[in-house]
């Protein structure tokens, strides 16, 4: 179990335009003298061999043969390369790459540029790179403000600046992206839902309407009229919704409760079932306020029957050993925090949790992942070089 890490990301925009944040590299860098006696800093490549622990879409956790933990980013590799690697947990793998300071450092302008159409001019690329780097700078400032516990207003102001730049970047990239956009055919789009595999037949008159609306949506989107395009897609899903309800029926109360393993009296279960069914009804009627209120009632009742994880079991999830002296301090803090949470005294509980994790912080620091931006991967004797 890992301590939650503060990560700040710029989410990808529509039509695959995305951004993240870079911070200056220093880890793994070394000063090298050139022949003209001037000094430059270069990033040294590190080589790690170990076994794959967990796999993600853009990277993996690796336990090195040196006993250290690593997070390896595959941002520089193509989807085709990753498919050929066929990564499996437990496999031994060798990786070469550079150390970076934060997860956001993996997403460089060079990686971002790969997502853009080749037709983007050098002039526009220069503009985009400048704005991209400005976002990196602002993101770094946001991270610093979060660490020093700046006010929400100060942090929000930075995010507003970032969003403005993001919008400007999108304006530049949008014409190129739209010009290269090849939408799915209506038949392909509908097929992806899986209606046919689930024996759900859409009525002919609905198919006719859906196909016409889909064609209008494509035309509007290609013309850059996103507002009307969104309205058109709302029409599309209004017709499709009854079929989606059949394809994805809401869970019954019994299905929802599977795996909870709680000792709840029959009378209380009946009460919970009534509340749950009223939640489904409120959701169907799009009554968000009522749904949230009912979920609050549901959670309040069921929380009485949820037993907290014992201290020893909680600690066993961490990938490191805590010494006995620290365990003696941690156990009462853990139990007091749980008791306060149960009483609803969340402010005091938070103080206990902060004291708890303050003791654990040195362990997290000593066992944190080293972040590697991979440039070469060797697996099953096959080498893959970043593109």
């Amino acid at each position: 179990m890992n301590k939650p890490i503060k990560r700040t990301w710029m989410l990808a925009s529509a039509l695959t335009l995305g951004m993240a944040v870079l911070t200056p590299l220093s880890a793994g860098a070394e000063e090298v003298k050139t022949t003209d006696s001037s000094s430059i800093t270069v990033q040294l490549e590190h080589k790690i061999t170990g076994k794959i622990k967990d796999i993600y879409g853009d990277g993996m956790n690796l336990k090195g043969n040196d006993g250290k933990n690593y997070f390896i980013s595959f941002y520089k590799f193509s989807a085709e390369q990753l498919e050929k690697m066929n990564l499996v947990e437990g496999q031994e793998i060798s990786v070469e790459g550079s150390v970076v300071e934060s997860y956001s450092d993996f997403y460089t302008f060079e990686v971002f540029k790969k997502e853009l159409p080749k037709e983007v001019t050098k002039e526009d690329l220069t503009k985009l790179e400048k704005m991209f780097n400005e976002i990196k700078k602002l993101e770094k400032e946001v991270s610093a403000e979060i660490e020093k516990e700046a006010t929400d207003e100060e942090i929000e102001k930075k995010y507003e600046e970032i969003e403005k730049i993001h919008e400007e970047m999108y304006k530049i990239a949008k014409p190129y992206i739209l010009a290269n956009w090849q939408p799915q055919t209506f038949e392909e789009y509908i097929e992806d839902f899986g209606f046919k595999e689930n024996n759900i037949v859409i009525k002919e008159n609905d198919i006719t309407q859906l196909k016409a609306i889909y064609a209008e949506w494509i035309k509007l989107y290609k013309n850059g009229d996103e507002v009307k395009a969104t309205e058109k897609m709302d029409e599309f899903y209004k017709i499709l919704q009854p079929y989606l309800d059949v394809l994805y029926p809401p869970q019954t109360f019994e299905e929802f409760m599977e795996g909870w393993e709680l000792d709840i009296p029959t009378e209380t279960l009946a009460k919970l079932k009534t509340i749950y069914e009223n939640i489904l009804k409120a959701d169907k009627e799009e009554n968000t306020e009522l749904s949230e209120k009912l979920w609050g009632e549901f959670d309040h009742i069921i929380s009485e029957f949820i037993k907290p994880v014992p201290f020893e079991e909680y600690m066993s999830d961490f990938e490191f050993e805590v010494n006995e002296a620290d365990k003696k301090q941690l156990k009462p803090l853990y139990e007091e925090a749980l008791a306060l949470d149960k009483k609803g005294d969340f402010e005091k509980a938070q103080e206990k949790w902060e004291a708890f994790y303050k003791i654990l912080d040195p362990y997290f620091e000593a066992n944190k992942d080293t972040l590697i931006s991979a440039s070469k991967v060797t697996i099953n004797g096959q080498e893959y070089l970043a593109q």
Side-chain angles (χ1 to χ4, degrees), residues 92-111:
E92 183 155 292
I93 186 171
S94 290
V95 176
E96 291 181 34
S98 54
V99 175
V100 301
E101 291 182 349
S102 71
Y103 288 90
S104 57
D105 290 343
F106 293 132
Y107 200 72
T108 65
F109 184 73
E110 287 304 309
V111 175

Side-chain angles (χ1 to χ4, degrees), residues 92-157:
E92 183 155 292
I93 186 171
S94 290
V95 176
E96 291 181 34
S98 54
V99 175
V100 301
E101 291 182 349
S102 71
Y103 288 90
S104 57
D105 290 343
F106 293 132
Y107 200 72
T108 65
F109 184 73
E110 287 304 309
V111 175
F112 168 78
K113 194 166 68 173
K114 286 182 184 178
E115 299 175 12
L116 296 172
K118 293 177 182 178
E119 291 79 8
V120 180
T121 65
K122 287 183 179 179
E123 183 183 353
D124 281 339
L125 280 175
T126 301
K127 291 176 186 175
L128 287 167
E129 185 170 15
K130 184 179 178 182
M131 287 186 276
F132 186 90
N133 291 333
E134 181 60 26
I135 285 178
K136 306 297 185 189
K137 178 174 171 288
L138 287 167
E139 271 300 312
K140 187 180 177 185
E141 290 172 9
V142 168
S143 297
E145 289 187 355
I146 290 171
E147 289 299 324
K148 70 178 184 182
E149 298 182 352
T151 65
D152 289 343
E153 282 186 14
E154 290 173 309
I155 294 169
E156 186 61 32
K157 189 177 178 182

Side-chain angles (χ1 to χ4, degrees), residues 22-150:
L22 269 176
T23 52
L25 303 182
S26 62
E30 184 174 309
E31 191 170 75
V32 179
K33 295 286 183 179
T34 59
T35 52
D36 64 356
S37 299
S38 63
S39 296
I40 59 171
T41 299
V42 297
Q43 189 70 24
L44 297 180
E45 291 283 299
H46 292 252
K47 184 170 183 177
I48 306 101
T49 300
K51 288 188 176 177
I52 300 172
K53 286 164 57 182
D54 303 292
I55 302 165
Y56 305 94
D58 57 359
M60 67 180 182
N61 287 116
L62 184 75
K63 186 70 175 181
N65 292 344
D66 57 6
K68 295 179 181 178
N69 297 313
Y70 297 89
F71 180 83
I72 313 296
S73 166
F74 296 128
Y75 259 132
K76 295 176 183 175
F77 292 81
S78 67
E80 291 77 14
Q81 286 177 303
L82 290 174
E83 189 176 345
K84 287 179 182 176
M85 287 182 202
N86 191 27
L87 302 172
V88 177
E89 289 180 18
Q91 271 183 319
E92 183 155 292
I93 186 171
S94 290
V95 176
E96 291 181 34
S98 54
V99 175
V100 301
E101 291 182 349
S102 71
Y103 288 90
S104 57
D105 290 343
F106 293 132
Y107 200 72
T108 65
F109 184 73
E110 287 304 309
V111 175
F112 168 78
K113 194 166 68 173
K114 286 182 184 178
E115 299 175 12
L116 296 172
K118 293 177 182 178
E119 291 79 8
V120 180
T121 65
K122 287 183 179 179
E123 183 183 353
D124 281 339
L125 280 175
T126 301
K127 291 176 186 175
L128 287 167
E129 185 170 15
K130 184 179 178 182
M131 287 186 276
F132 186 90
N133 291 333
E134 181 60 26
I135 285 178
K136 306 297 185 189
K137 178 174 171 288
L138 287 167
E139 271 300 312
K140 187 180 177 185
E141 290 172 9
V142 168
S143 297
E145 289 187 355
I146 290 171
E147 289 299 324
K148 70 178 184 182
E149 298 182 352

Side-chain angles (χ1 to χ4, degrees), residues 33 36 50 71 145 157 170 178 207 209-210 229 264 287 297 308-309 311 332 343 347 371 383:
K33 295 286 183 179
D36 64 356
F71 180 83
E145 289 187 355
K157 189 177 178 182
Y170 180 54
L178 287 176
I207 284 285
Q209 287 186 72
L210 288 167
I264 303 175
N287 191 338
E297 290 178 25
V309 176
F311 172 73
K343 282 169 58 180
E347 192 173 330
L371 309 180
E383 291 185 353

Side-chain angles (χ1 to χ4, degrees), residues 150-167:
T151 65
D152 289 343
E153 282 186 14
E154 290 173 309
I155 294 169
E156 186 61 32
K157 189 177 178 182
K158 293 289 183 187
Y159 277 127
E160 286 173 3
E161 289 180 58
I162 289 168
E163 186 57 30
K164 284 179 184 175
I165 299 170
H166 187 263
E167 288 170 2

